[in-house]
Amino acid sequence: MHKNDVTIILATSIIPDHPNTDMIDETIRSIRFHFPENEIIMQIDGLRKEQKHRKKDYDEYKSRVLWKCLHEYKNVLPIIFDKHSHQSTMMRETIDLIQTSLILYVEGDAPLVTDEVIDWQKCLDLIEYDKAITIRFHFE
């Protein structure tokens, strides 16, 4: 297996900083640090009922992100969910778009580390040789 065999799934939903895009920008930069060419499928979740008061900010955030997908981000496919769908439903709805054998699931407010080495080949080998079926990275 090779790093090119990985599609990145990037889930994003409302956070207090919206409409600011700094967090998603940082997360995409961190992904591109490790995976410069791989496809990113960005799952943009809808709002929960209790978040409706944030609709204006979230709509502006989504507009900014869509503009960036067209003009700034490279190889990012945005999928917008009109209603709150949660990660599991978004994955179910987008899984058929994945054309690689592996996925890396990243939350929009959880960038990958760029100041430490991640041995991606070791991770890929663990999966390829049935030593692991899932690898989870932690903040600590």
Side-chain angles (χ1 to χ4, degrees), residues 38-69:
N38 297 54
E39 181 176 34
I40 298 172
I41 298 174
M42 184 186 298
Q43 302 168 329
I44 304 170
D45 204 356
L47 289 173
R48 293 185 183 117
K49 290 178 186 176
E50 65 270 15
Q51 297 168 322
K52 292 297 181 187
H53 68 285
R54 300 288 319 281
K55 184 178 183 333
K56 181 179 175 188
D57 287 340
Y58 195 50
D59 285 348
E60 177 62 25
Y61 166 77
K62 291 188 290 186
S63 292
R64 292 177 186 184
V65 165
L66 292 174
W67 185 92
K68 288 172 178 266
C69 287

Side-chain angles (χ1 to χ4, degrees), residues 69-99:
C69 287
L70 285 172
H71 303 287
E72 186 177 316
Y73 304 150
K74 187 173 86 174
N75 201 14
V76 176
L77 174 65
I79 307 295
I80 300 172
F81 291 81
D82 292 332
K83 61 181 181 179
H84 176 68
S85 299
H86 199 271
Q87 296 168 349
S88 58
T89 300
M90 291 192 299
M91 182 57 76
R92 230 182 352 264
E93 296 291 325
T94 58
I95 198 159
D96 290 338
L97 299 172
I98 299 168
Q99 298 178 3

Side-chain angles (χ1 to χ4, degrees), residues 1-134:
M1 289 187 175
H2 188 271
K3 281 174 57 173
N4 291 339
D5 296 321
V6 178
T7 297
I8 293 84
I9 302 297
L10 176 58
T12 185
S13 57
I14 189 78
I15 61 172
D17 288 352
H18 289 160
N20 186 300
T21 63
D22 288 349
M23 180 56 68
I24 198 76
D25 293 339
E26 179 183 350
T27 302
I28 289 177
R29 276 192 307 274
S30 76
I31 292 167
R32 288 295 176 229
F33 178 85
H34 296 282
F35 297 89
E37 303 293 327
N38 297 54
E39 181 176 34
I40 298 172
I41 298 174
M42 184 186 298
Q43 302 168 329
I44 304 170
D45 204 356
L47 289 173
R48 293 185 183 117
K49 290 178 186 176
E50 65 270 15
Q51 297 168 322
K52 292 297 181 187
H53 68 285
R54 300 288 319 281
K55 184 178 183 333
K56 181 179 175 188
D57 287 340
Y58 195 50
D59 285 348
E60 177 62 25
Y61 166 77
K62 291 188 290 186
S63 292
R64 292 177 186 184
V65 165
L66 292 174
W67 185 92
K68 288 172 178 266
C69 287
L70 285 172
H71 303 287
E72 186 177 316
Y73 304 150
K74 187 173 86 174
N75 201 14
V76 176
L77 174 65
I79 307 295
I80 300 172
F81 291 81
D82 292 332
K83 61 181 181 179
H84 176 68
S85 299
H86 199 271
Q87 296 168 349
S88 58
T89 300
M90 291 192 299
M91 182 57 76
R92 230 182 352 264
E93 296 291 325
T94 58
I95 198 159
D96 290 338
L97 299 172
I98 299 168
Q99 298 178 3
T100 59
S101 56
L102 298 171
I103 65 168
L104 173 64
Y105 190 91
V106 180
E107 295 192 26
D109 59 352
L112 301 171
V113 296
T114 58
D115 59 343
E116 295 184 34
V117 175
I118 298 175
D119 189 343
W120 293 109
Q121 193 56 54
K122 183 176 183 179
C123 295
L124 295 170
D125 289 347
L126 286 169
I127 292 172
E128 182 173 12
Y129 298 111
D130 294 326
K131 302 295 182 189
I133 58 171
T134 300

